[in-house]
Amino acid sequence: MKILYAASEAQPFAKSGGLADVAGSLPKALVNEGVECTVIMPYYKNSIPQELQDDIKFVTQFYVPVGWRCQYCGMFKTEIAGVTYYLLDNEYYFKRDYGLYGYFDDAERFAFFSRAVLEAIKQTGDIPDIINANDWQCALIPVYFNIYYRYQHDMRNIRNVFTIHNIQYQGKYGYDILEDIISIPRHLASLVEYDGSVNFMKGAFEVADKITTVSPSYADEIGEAWCAHGLDRALANKKYKTCGFLNGIDVDEYNPATDRDIAETFSIKKKTGKKTCKAELFEKAGLPIDDANTADTGDEPVIGIVSRLVQHKGLDLIKGVFDEIMGLGFKMIILGTGENEYETFFHDMQNRFPGRVSFTCGYVPDLSKMIYAGADMFLMPSWSEPCGLAQMISLRYGTIPVVRATGGLKDSIIDCGEDQGTGFTFHDYNAHHMLDALKRARECYDDKKAWNALMNRAMKADFSWGKSAKLYIGLYEELCSWGRDS
Ligand code: GLC
């Protein structure tokens, strides 16, 4: 069985969010299970580290229809850990200076990419059984397949899976792009038409053979208006082909016993290294180290937050009861960028609580790792969360998640009872319910025996890809077993 996994970002080549982690680790897990899986993504010449570029080899070139034009596409190839990566090159579209997305012509850039993926299959004759396209940037792949490729003899048996990593980002544009930019004939406009705009994701919902998302709870929630950002109606009659598989994480990369990026390694049996990690975190975050871990300051646990600072991550809850959180005797280390309102708020809090609150505005991978490894608790009060990877990474490092039970957070964190559970959860989107969960966490932290047992359970929780990779394989196999045209 041959899978072509199409994504607009994948580790270690380019990353702006969790999609890159999944596109970097699921294909590896599939290959480990004996499935042939190739990743295909844009060749972002300015984002890919030079040492990786040295191993990237030219394969072929072809032209891709984009509206009334034809655009060059170079196809490059490299291999890491048994996974083949195809990188599709067009410098006009993908050699950009400021990040992967957010340009005036994103619709055209990813329409080009989506069409180029199908052209690459046609040109090389390397025909997959399944194309698994991810998120809005690749949502036109199943649409173009249906319009232009499914009647081509060699490609007729390809099946399409579309995976939603976040339903908020849909690829919504005006009608004017329909023919000249995204090459969809007017008589087929209804495929991508939704609520008065062109909507890439809705197009994928219409034509994909299966729709998957990144946790079972999120698969249910996207059918409801509070979560779906308008697309619940488009999914209403698609339940028969929609399901959710919880993401895994790369457990070799995030392993406190072997991780070279943390100050001192540690394990369930020997946790002293975590104290060193905490001290390093405090130093980096600019909090006084003496306060880090000593009983004489009341041993205040530190809450870590690594998040995009946007409303749906639940930051208004934190803002609403910040003083009360501090009143419970916590320290807080926050890393992230986003909406001005929250950046300003956390700057203010850093000034109001010197030595107890630290805010770093930006995306600093080193510091995020230090937070996962060195904090005591990790707070994610999200309004909605498709899967969330940070809570799973935190668990690996014995950093206890405090989360709202939604989407993947609900599916991955079991609320702490006496001898069970891996974190603290709350259900309603309510600041005082969050505060209650934090209170319970604080009380547990003070009972050293209970806390140690909780850390052990957290560190033992298994979020490796094995289980979910098998679920994907089951789904792919089901599709392959559908009748084939000879
Ligand atoms: C998106 C989601 C996040 C998920 C990730 C990987 O970034 O917001 O919850 O973990 O994709 O699927």
Side-chain angles (χ1 to χ4, degrees), residues 404-437:
R404 185 168 106 79
T406 180
L409 297 173
K410 185 171 166 187
D411 296 339
S412 59
I413 306 299
I414 305 162
D415 191 55
C416 188
E418 226 157 70
D419 304 309
Q420 54 166 19
T422 50
F424 297 88
T425 67
F426 61 102
H427 288 265
D428 293 345
Y429 193 74
N430 175 309
H432 285 90
H433 291 198
M434 177 187 75
L435 199 62
D436 267 353

PDB file of all heavy atoms in Angstrom, residues 404-437:
ATOM      1  N   ARG A 404      -8.745  22.365  29.769  1.00  0.00           N
ATOM      2  CA  ARG A 404     -10.197  22.265  29.605  1.00  0.00           C
ATOM      3  C   ARG A 404     -10.493  21.002  28.792  1.00  0.00           C
ATOM      4  O   ARG A 404      -9.802  20.711  27.807  1.00  0.00           O
ATOM      5  CB  ARG A 404     -10.756  23.479  28.861  1.00  0.00           C
ATOM      6  CG  ARG A 404     -12.280  23.437  28.805  1.00  0.00           C
ATOM      7  CD  ARG A 404     -12.869  24.735  28.345  1.00  0.00           C
ATOM      8  NE  ARG A 404     -13.375  24.679  26.988  1.00  0.00           N
ATOM      9  CZ  ARG A 404     -14.546  24.144  26.625  1.00  0.00           C
ATOM     10  NH1 ARG A 404     -15.338  23.625  27.524  1.00  0.00           N
ATOM     11  NH2 ARG A 404     -14.914  24.144  25.368  1.00  0.00           N
ATOM     12  N   ALA A 405     -11.515  20.256  29.221  1.00  0.00           N
ATOM     13  CA  ALA A 405     -11.808  18.982  28.569  1.00  0.00           C
ATOM     14  C   ALA A 405     -12.520  19.232  27.244  1.00  0.00           C
ATOM     15  O   ALA A 405     -13.745  19.227  27.167  1.00  0.00           O
ATOM     16  CB  ALA A 405     -12.659  18.108  29.481  1.00  0.00           C
ATOM     17  N   THR A 406     -11.749  19.480  26.207  1.00  0.00           N
ATOM     18  CA  THR A 406     -12.306  19.692  24.871  1.00  0.00           C
ATOM     19  C   THR A 406     -11.369  19.065  23.839  1.00  0.00           C
ATOM     20  O   THR A 406     -10.149  19.027  24.048  1.00  0.00           O
ATOM     21  CB  THR A 406     -12.496  21.198  24.587  1.00  0.00           C
ATOM     22  OG1 THR A 406     -13.047  21.359  23.289  1.00  0.00           O
ATOM     23  CG2 THR A 406     -11.184  21.963  24.640  1.00  0.00           C
ATOM     24  N   GLY A 407     -11.938  18.568  22.746  1.00  0.00           N
ATOM     25  CA  GLY A 407     -11.133  18.014  21.645  1.00  0.00           C
ATOM     26  C   GLY A 407     -10.101  17.017  22.140  1.00  0.00           C
ATOM     27  O   GLY A 407     -10.371  16.158  22.977  1.00  0.00           O
ATOM     28  N   GLY A 408      -8.880  17.177  21.640  1.00  0.00           N
ATOM     29  CA  GLY A 408      -7.806  16.253  21.989  1.00  0.00           C
ATOM     30  C   GLY A 408      -7.381  16.349  23.442  1.00  0.00           C
ATOM     31  O   GLY A 408      -6.802  15.401  23.988  1.00  0.00           O
ATOM     32  N   LEU A 409      -7.654  17.482  24.078  1.00  0.00           N
ATOM     33  CA  LEU A 409      -7.300  17.602  25.504  1.00  0.00           C
ATOM     34  C   LEU A 409      -8.161  16.629  26.303  1.00  0.00           C
ATOM     35  O   LEU A 409      -7.702  15.959  27.219  1.00  0.00           O
ATOM     36  CB  LEU A 409      -7.521  19.038  25.993  1.00  0.00           C
ATOM     37  CG  LEU A 409      -6.657  20.110  25.317  1.00  0.00           C
ATOM     38  CD1 LEU A 409      -7.081  21.504  25.768  1.00  0.00           C
ATOM     39  CD2 LEU A 409      -5.178  19.881  25.631  1.00  0.00           C
ATOM     40  N   LYS A 410      -9.431  16.559  25.936  1.00  0.00           N
ATOM     41  CA  LYS A 410     -10.362  15.650  26.593  1.00  0.00           C
ATOM     42  C   LYS A 410      -9.944  14.188  26.360  1.00  0.00           C
ATOM     43  O   LYS A 410     -10.076  13.347  27.244  1.00  0.00           O
ATOM     44  CB  LYS A 410     -11.750  15.890  25.996  1.00  0.00           C
ATOM     45  CG  LYS A 410     -12.868  15.126  26.615  1.00  0.00           C
ATOM     46  CD  LYS A 410     -14.173  15.673  26.029  1.00  0.00           C
ATOM     47  CE  LYS A 410     -15.331  14.772  26.314  1.00  0.00           C
ATOM     48  NZ  LYS A 410     -16.520  15.241  25.589  1.00  0.00           N
ATOM     49  N   ASP A 411      -9.444  13.913  25.156  1.00  0.00           N
ATOM     50  CA  ASP A 411      -9.101  12.530  24.810  1.00  0.00           C
ATOM     51  C   ASP A 411      -7.737  12.093  25.336  1.00  0.00           C
ATOM     52  O   ASP A 411      -7.408  10.916  25.299  1.00  0.00           O
ATOM     53  CB  ASP A 411      -9.122  12.341  23.277  1.00  0.00           C
ATOM     54  CG  ASP A 411     -10.523  12.550  22.702  1.00  0.00           C
ATOM     55  OD1 ASP A 411     -11.495  12.436  23.474  1.00  0.00           O
ATOM     56  OD2 ASP A 411     -10.632  12.839  21.503  1.00  0.00           O
ATOM     57  N   SER A 412      -6.920  13.057  25.770  1.00  0.00           N
ATOM     58  CA  SER A 412      -5.565  12.657  26.177  1.00  0.00           C
ATOM     59  C   SER A 412      -5.292  12.818  27.665  1.00  0.00           C
ATOM     60  O   SER A 412      -4.371  12.205  28.185  1.00  0.00           O
ATOM     61  CB  SER A 412      -4.507  13.436  25.377  1.00  0.00           C
ATOM     62  OG  SER A 412      -4.657  14.828  25.573  1.00  0.00           O
ATOM     63  N   ILE A 413      -6.078  13.631  28.379  1.00  0.00           N
ATOM     64  CA  ILE A 413      -5.790  13.877  29.800  1.00  0.00           C
ATOM     65  C   ILE A 413      -6.925  13.316  30.657  1.00  0.00           C
ATOM     66  O   ILE A 413      -8.087  13.692  30.493  1.00  0.00           O
ATOM     67  CB  ILE A 413      -5.625  15.391  30.092  1.00  0.00           C
ATOM     68  CG1 ILE A 413      -4.567  16.011  29.162  1.00  0.00           C
ATOM     69  CG2 ILE A 413      -5.276  15.623  31.558  1.00  0.00           C
ATOM     70  CD1 ILE A 413      -3.185  15.428  29.292  1.00  0.00           C
ATOM     71  N   ILE A 414      -6.568  12.438  31.559  1.00  0.00           N
ATOM     72  CA  ILE A 414      -7.568  11.863  32.479  1.00  0.00           C
ATOM     73  C   ILE A 414      -7.485  12.652  33.775  1.00  0.00           C
ATOM     74  O   ILE A 414      -6.391  12.868  34.320  1.00  0.00           O
ATOM     75  CB  ILE A 414      -7.261  10.381  32.761  1.00  0.00           C
ATOM     76  CG1 ILE A 414      -7.151   9.608  31.449  1.00  0.00           C
ATOM     77  CG2 ILE A 414      -8.310   9.765  33.678  1.00  0.00           C
ATOM     78  CD1 ILE A 414      -6.448   8.273  31.583  1.00  0.00           C
ATOM     79  N   ASP A 415      -8.656  13.082  34.264  1.00  0.00           N
ATOM     80  CA  ASP A 415      -8.647  13.899  35.472  1.00  0.00           C
ATOM     81  C   ASP A 415      -8.126  13.088  36.662  1.00  0.00           C
ATOM     82  O   ASP A 415      -8.400  11.908  36.807  1.00  0.00           O
ATOM     83  CB  ASP A 415     -10.061  14.420  35.763  1.00  0.00           C
ATOM     84  CG  ASP A 415     -10.036  15.480  36.845  1.00  0.00           C
ATOM     85  OD1 ASP A 415      -9.301  16.464  36.677  1.00  0.00           O
ATOM     86  OD2 ASP A 415     -10.739  15.317  37.857  1.00  0.00           O
ATOM     87  N   CYS A 416      -7.396  13.792  37.513  1.00  0.00           N
ATOM     88  CA  CYS A 416      -6.690  13.141  38.607  1.00  0.00           C
ATOM     89  C   CYS A 416      -7.638  12.763  39.745  1.00  0.00           C
ATOM     90  O   CYS A 416      -8.270  13.619  40.353  1.00  0.00           O
ATOM     91  CB  CYS A 416      -5.623  14.093  39.114  1.00  0.00           C
ATOM     92  SG  CYS A 416      -4.541  13.345  40.284  1.00  0.00           S
ATOM     93  N   GLY A 417      -7.740  11.485  40.007  1.00  0.00           N
ATOM     94  CA  GLY A 417      -8.430  11.022  41.210  1.00  0.00           C
ATOM     95  C   GLY A 417      -7.364  10.543  42.168  1.00  0.00           C
ATOM     96  O   GLY A 417      -6.185  10.888  42.013  1.00  0.00           O
ATOM     97  N   GLU A 418      -7.760   9.713  43.110  1.00  0.00           N
ATOM     98  CA  GLU A 418      -6.774   9.327  44.132  1.00  0.00           C
ATOM     99  C   GLU A 418      -5.601   8.530  43.552  1.00  0.00           C
ATOM    100  O   GLU A 418      -4.459   8.866  43.776  1.00  0.00           O
ATOM    101  CB  GLU A 418      -7.458   8.543  45.231  1.00  0.00           C
ATOM    102  CG  GLU A 418      -7.019   9.051  46.609  1.00  0.00           C
ATOM    103  CD  GLU A 418      -8.050   8.718  47.647  1.00  0.00           C
ATOM    104  OE1 GLU A 418      -8.157   7.513  47.932  1.00  0.00           O
ATOM    105  OE2 GLU A 418      -8.750   9.630  48.119  1.00  0.00           O
ATOM    106  N   ASP A 419      -5.925   7.456  42.821  1.00  0.00           N
ATOM    107  CA  ASP A 419      -4.828   6.630  42.302  1.00  0.00           C
ATOM    108  C   ASP A 419      -4.837   6.576  40.791  1.00  0.00           C
ATOM    109  O   ASP A 419      -4.407   5.617  40.191  1.00  0.00           O
ATOM    110  CB  ASP A 419      -4.964   5.178  42.792  1.00  0.00           C
ATOM    111  CG  ASP A 419      -5.025   5.122  44.269  1.00  0.00           C
ATOM    112  OD1 ASP A 419      -4.141   5.725  44.897  1.00  0.00           O
ATOM    113  OD2 ASP A 419      -5.986   4.517  44.785  1.00  0.00           O
ATOM    114  N   GLN A 420      -5.405   7.537  40.207  1.00  0.00           N
ATOM    115  CA  GLN A 420      -5.475   7.483  38.750  1.00  0.00           C
ATOM    116  C   GLN A 420      -5.435   8.904  38.190  1.00  0.00           C
ATOM    117  O   GLN A 420      -5.499   9.870  38.927  1.00  0.00           O
ATOM    118  CB  GLN A 420      -6.763   6.790  38.321  1.00  0.00           C
ATOM    119  CG  GLN A 420      -7.971   7.453  38.967  1.00  0.00           C
ATOM    120  CD  GLN A 420      -9.276   7.031  38.320  1.00  0.00           C
ATOM    121  OE1 GLN A 420      -9.322   6.018  37.648  1.00  0.00           O
ATOM    122  NE2 GLN A 420     -10.308   7.808  38.512  1.00  0.00           N
ATOM    123  N   GLY A 421      -5.368   8.958  36.866  1.00  0.00           N
ATOM    124  CA  GLY A 421      -5.404  10.270  36.226  1.00  0.00           C
ATOM    125  C   GLY A 421      -4.013  10.814  35.987  1.00  0.00           C
ATOM    126  O   GLY A 421      -3.028  10.414  36.612  1.00  0.00           O
ATOM    127  N   THR A 422      -3.930  11.720  35.010  1.00  0.00           N
ATOM    128  CA  THR A 422      -2.629  12.255  34.611  1.00  0.00           C
ATOM    129  C   THR A 422      -2.609  13.776  34.627  1.00  0.00           C
ATOM    130  O   THR A 422      -1.601  14.383  34.257  1.00  0.00           O
ATOM    131  CB  THR A 422      -2.295  11.783  33.179  1.00  0.00           C
ATOM    132  OG1 THR A 422      -3.447  12.056  32.344  1.00  0.00           O
ATOM    133  CG2 THR A 422      -1.981  10.303  33.133  1.00  0.00           C
ATOM    134  N   GLY A 423      -3.719  14.401  35.008  1.00  0.00           N
ATOM    135  CA  GLY A 423      -3.731  15.865  35.005  1.00  0.00           C
ATOM    136  C   GLY A 423      -4.994  16.374  35.667  1.00  0.00           C
ATOM    137  O   GLY A 423      -5.706  15.622  36.337  1.00  0.00           O
ATOM    138  N   PHE A 424      -5.287  17.646  35.477  1.00  0.00           N
ATOM    139  CA  PHE A 424      -6.477  18.244  36.076  1.00  0.00           C
ATOM    140  C   PHE A 424      -7.304  18.867  34.961  1.00  0.00           C
ATOM    141  O   PHE A 424      -6.771  19.613  34.135  1.00  0.00           O
ATOM    142  CB  PHE A 424      -6.065  19.289  37.120  1.00  0.00           C
ATOM    143  CG  PHE A 424      -5.303  18.664  38.253  1.00  0.00           C
ATOM    144  CD1 PHE A 424      -3.923  18.514  38.181  1.00  0.00           C
ATOM    145  CD2 PHE A 424      -5.970  18.155  39.357  1.00  0.00           C
ATOM    146  CE1 PHE A 424      -3.218  17.887  39.195  1.00  0.00           C
ATOM    147  CE2 PHE A 424      -5.275  17.529  40.387  1.00  0.00           C
ATOM    148  CZ  PHE A 424      -3.894  17.395  40.306  1.00  0.00           C
ATOM    149  N   THR A 425      -8.592  18.508  34.944  1.00  0.00           N
ATOM    150  CA  THR A 425      -9.421  19.005  33.843  1.00  0.00           C
ATOM    151  C   THR A 425     -10.631  19.759  34.388  1.00  0.00           C
ATOM    152  O   THR A 425     -11.026  19.569  35.532  1.00  0.00           O
ATOM    153  CB  THR A 425      -9.937  17.832  32.972  1.00  0.00           C
ATOM    154  OG1 THR A 425     -10.841  17.046  33.741  1.00  0.00           O
ATOM    155  CG2 THR A 425      -8.811  16.950  32.492  1.00  0.00           C
ATOM    156  N   PHE A 426     -11.175  20.615  33.552  1.00  0.00           N
ATOM    157  CA  PHE A 426     -12.458  21.252  33.872  1.00  0.00           C
ATOM    158  C   PHE A 426     -13.273  21.299  32.583  1.00  0.00           C
ATOM    159  O   PHE A 426     -12.712  21.250  31.489  1.00  0.00           O
ATOM    160  CB  PHE A 426     -12.258  22.653  34.485  1.00  0.00           C
ATOM    161  CG  PHE A 426     -11.561  23.629  33.585  1.00  0.00           C
ATOM    162  CD1 PHE A 426     -12.296  24.600  32.894  1.00  0.00           C
ATOM    163  CD2 PHE A 426     -10.190  23.601  33.405  1.00  0.00           C
ATOM    164  CE1 PHE A 426     -11.661  25.512  32.051  1.00  0.00           C
ATOM    165  CE2 PHE A 426      -9.547  24.505  32.560  1.00  0.00           C
ATOM    166  CZ  PHE A 426     -10.290  25.465  31.888  1.00  0.00           C
ATOM    167  N   HIS A 427     -14.602  21.364  32.717  1.00  0.00           N
ATOM    168  CA  HIS A 427     -15.452  21.198  31.540  1.00  0.00           C
ATOM    169  C   HIS A 427     -15.981  22.498  30.968  1.00  0.00           C
ATOM    170  O   HIS A 427     -15.811  22.788  29.789  1.00  0.00           O
ATOM    171  CB  HIS A 427     -16.595  20.224  31.843  1.00  0.00           C
ATOM    172  CG  HIS A 427     -16.095  18.821  31.937  1.00  0.00           C
ATOM    173  ND1 HIS A 427     -16.120  17.944  30.890  1.00  0.00           N
ATOM    174  CD2 HIS A 427     -15.492  18.166  32.961  1.00  0.00           C
ATOM    175  CE1 HIS A 427     -15.564  16.799  31.245  1.00  0.00           C
ATOM    176  NE2 HIS A 427     -15.185  16.911  32.499  1.00  0.00           N
ATOM    177  N   ASP A 428     -16.646  23.287  31.799  1.00  0.00           N
ATOM    178  CA  ASP A 428     -17.268  24.509  31.265  1.00  0.00           C
ATOM    179  C   ASP A 428     -16.213  25.559  30.972  1.00  0.00           C
ATOM    180  O   ASP A 428     -15.217  25.661  31.685  1.00  0.00           O
ATOM    181  CB  ASP A 428     -18.258  25.074  32.284  1.00  0.00           C
ATOM    182  CG  ASP A 428     -19.440  24.139  32.464  1.00  0.00           C
ATOM    183  OD1 ASP A 428     -19.605  23.249  31.608  1.00  0.00           O
ATOM    184  OD2 ASP A 428     -20.161  24.290  33.468  1.00  0.00           O
ATOM    185  N   TYR A 429     -16.489  26.334  29.949  1.00  0.00           N
ATOM    186  CA  TYR A 429     -15.552  27.425  29.629  1.00  0.00           C
ATOM    187  C   TYR A 429     -15.811  28.569  30.598  1.00  0.00           C
ATOM    188  O   TYR A 429     -16.535  29.517  30.304  1.00  0.00           O
ATOM    189  CB  TYR A 429     -15.741  27.873  28.180  1.00  0.00           C
ATOM    190  CG  TYR A 429     -14.629  28.766  27.693  1.00  0.00           C
ATOM    191  CD1 TYR A 429     -13.382  28.231  27.393  1.00  0.00           C
ATOM    192  CD2 TYR A 429     -14.804  30.137  27.556  1.00  0.00           C
ATOM    193  CE1 TYR A 429     -12.349  29.033  26.958  1.00  0.00           C
ATOM    194  CE2 TYR A 429     -13.776  30.948  27.109  1.00  0.00           C
ATOM    195  CZ  TYR A 429     -12.553  30.384  26.817  1.00  0.00           C
ATOM    196  OH  TYR A 429     -11.515  31.189  26.384  1.00  0.00           O
ATOM    197  N   ASN A 430     -15.213  28.442  31.793  1.00  0.00           N
ATOM    198  CA  ASN A 430     -15.542  29.341  32.886  1.00  0.00           C
ATOM    199  C   ASN A 430     -14.274  29.528  33.722  1.00  0.00           C
ATOM    200  O   ASN A 430     -13.643  28.553  34.153  1.00  0.00           O
ATOM    201  CB  ASN A 430     -16.668  28.657  33.702  1.00  0.00           C
ATOM    202  CG  ASN A 430     -17.024  29.419  34.950  1.00  0.00           C
ATOM    203  OD1 ASN A 430     -16.162  29.771  35.743  1.00  0.00           O
ATOM    204  ND2 ASN A 430     -18.317  29.652  35.139  1.00  0.00           N
ATOM    205  N   ALA A 431     -13.898  30.784  33.949  1.00  0.00           N
ATOM    206  CA  ALA A 431     -12.623  31.079  34.609  1.00  0.00           C
ATOM    207  C   ALA A 431     -12.553  30.468  36.008  1.00  0.00           C
ATOM    208  O   ALA A 431     -11.491  30.009  36.448  1.00  0.00           O
ATOM    209  CB  ALA A 431     -12.428  32.586  34.682  1.00  0.00           C
ATOM    210  N   HIS A 432     -13.673  30.446  36.711  1.00  0.00           N
ATOM    211  CA  HIS A 432     -13.626  29.912  38.074  1.00  0.00           C
ATOM    212  C   HIS A 432     -13.547  28.391  38.089  1.00  0.00           C
ATOM    213  O   HIS A 432     -12.985  27.817  39.015  1.00  0.00           O
ATOM    214  CB  HIS A 432     -14.798  30.454  38.910  1.00  0.00           C
ATOM    215  CG  HIS A 432     -14.537  31.890  39.276  1.00  0.00           C
ATOM    216  ND1 HIS A 432     -14.939  32.934  38.473  1.00  0.00           N
ATOM    217  CD2 HIS A 432     -13.836  32.434  40.304  1.00  0.00           C
ATOM    218  CE1 HIS A 432     -14.514  34.067  39.007  1.00  0.00           C
ATOM    219  NE2 HIS A 432     -13.842  33.797  40.119  1.00  0.00           N
ATOM    220  N   HIS A 433     -14.044  27.761  37.055  1.00  0.00           N
ATOM    221  CA  HIS A 433     -13.869  26.309  36.964  1.00  0.00           C
ATOM    222  C   HIS A 433     -12.391  25.995  36.699  1.00  0.00           C
ATOM    223  O   HIS A 433     -11.839  25.037  37.234  1.00  0.00           O
ATOM    224  CB  HIS A 433     -14.750  25.720  35.868  1.00  0.00           C
ATOM    225  CG  HIS A 433     -16.212  25.779  36.226  1.00  0.00           C
ATOM    226  ND1 HIS A 433     -17.158  25.025  35.601  1.00  0.00           N
ATOM    227  CD2 HIS A 433     -16.888  26.513  37.150  1.00  0.00           C
ATOM    228  CE1 HIS A 433     -18.353  25.281  36.116  1.00  0.00           C
ATOM    229  NE2 HIS A 433     -18.198  26.190  37.050  1.00  0.00           N
ATOM    230  N   MET A 434     -11.771  26.841  35.884  1.00  0.00           N
ATOM    231  CA  MET A 434     -10.329  26.667  35.660  1.00  0.00           C
ATOM    232  C   MET A 434      -9.578  26.863  36.979  1.00  0.00           C
ATOM    233  O   MET A 434      -8.655  26.114  37.321  1.00  0.00           O
ATOM    234  CB  MET A 434      -9.837  27.678  34.617  1.00  0.00           C
ATOM    235  CG  MET A 434      -8.334  27.604  34.390  1.00  0.00           C
ATOM    236  SD  MET A 434      -7.738  28.927  33.321  1.00  0.00           S
ATOM    237  CE  MET A 434      -7.806  30.317  34.425  1.00  0.00           C
ATOM    238  N   LEU A 435      -9.992  27.879  37.703  1.00  0.00           N
ATOM    239  CA  LEU A 435      -9.340  28.190  38.982  1.00  0.00           C
ATOM    240  C   LEU A 435      -9.473  27.004  39.958  1.00  0.00           C
ATOM    241  O   LEU A 435      -8.512  26.660  40.656  1.00  0.00           O
ATOM    242  CB  LEU A 435      -9.980  29.451  39.583  1.00  0.00           C
ATOM    243  CG  LEU A 435      -9.171  30.172  40.653  1.00  0.00           C
ATOM    244  CD1 LEU A 435      -7.847  30.676  40.101  1.00  0.00           C
ATOM    245  CD2 LEU A 435      -9.986  31.355  41.217  1.00  0.00           C
ATOM    246  N   ASP A 436     -10.636  26.374  39.962  1.00  0.00           N
ATOM    247  CA  ASP A 436     -10.841  25.194  40.808  1.00  0.00           C
ATOM    248  C   ASP A 436      -9.851  24.088  40.450  1.00  0.00           C
ATOM    249  O   ASP A 436      -9.293  23.435  41.326  1.00  0.00           O
ATOM    250  CB  ASP A 436     -12.258  24.624  40.570  1.00  0.00           C
ATOM    251  CG  ASP A 436     -13.231  25.195  41.567  1.00  0.00           C
ATOM    252  OD1 ASP A 436     -12.798  25.908  42.492  1.00  0.00           O
ATOM    253  OD2 ASP A 436     -14.444  24.917  41.415  1.00  0.00           O
ATOM    254  N   ALA A 437      -9.690  23.873  39.139  1.00  0.00           N
ATOM    255  CA  ALA A 437      -8.751  22.831  38.697  1.00  0.00           C
ATOM    256  C   ALA A 437      -7.340  23.186  39.170  1.00  0.00           C
ATOM    257  O   ALA A 437      -6.581  22.315  39.623  1.00  0.00           O
ATOM    258  CB  ALA A 437      -8.796  22.691  37.178  1.00  0.00           C
TER     259      ALA A 437
END
